Amino acid sequence: TSLARDWFANNAPPAPNGNPDDPDHLHTLRKNAKLARYIAENAPKSAKTPRRLAQSFESVQEAGGHWHDWLVLSDIAGKKLRGSSPLTKVLTQRCHLALTVYQRHLRETIG
C-alpha cells in the first residue's frame, strides 16, 4: 500500500502554472493512477488493504478516462461546429461534470 501511494505521490508532476485543472496534468495523473493500481494489484490476494487501494486507483483511472473522452469530444465539436452550437454546449457541460467527478475521485484517493 505504501509503495503504491508513494510511487503515485513521487511521480505526480506539479500542476503547470499552479493550475490543477490543466488537461495535460490531469491526463498524466490518470496514467499514473493506472500504474499505481498495477503496483497495488501485485500484493498477495489475501492482502485486502492493497486491493482496496487498487480499486480506488482504478476508479480514478476510469473517471479520468470519462472526463478525457468528453474533453476530446467537446474540443472536436467546438472546432467543427463552433462554441455556440447546442451540441458543443452539451458536450462541454458533460465534460465539466465529468471533470468534477474525476476531481472527487482524485481527492478521495490521494487527498
Side-chain angles (χ1 to χ4, degrees), residues 22-93:
D22 177 77
D24 290 334
H25 174 69
L26 290 169
H27 190 60
T28 299
L29 290 177
R30 176 181 172 254
K31 292 187 294 185
N32 286 359
K34 181 178 182 177
L35 294 175
R37 174 186 137 212
Y38 291 161
I39 292 168
E41 286 177 342
N42 276 293
K45 294 204 183 287
S46 61
K48 294 185 192 287
T49 302
R51 294 290 165 181
R52 281 192 300 273
L53 180 60
Q55 289 174 340
S56 294
F57 277 122
E58 185 174 18
S59 74
V60 167
Q61 179 188 346
E62 287 179 3
H66 289 268
W67 159 76
H68 194 258
D69 290 347
W70 288 116
L71 177 67
V72 170
L73 288 172
S74 65
D75 283 348
I76 291 169
K79 289 175 184 166
K80 298 288 183 182
L81 303 173
R82 304 288 180 234
S84 60
S85 158
L87 178 60
T88 302
K89 289 178 181 180
V90 167
L91 294 174
T92 300
Q93 187 177 38

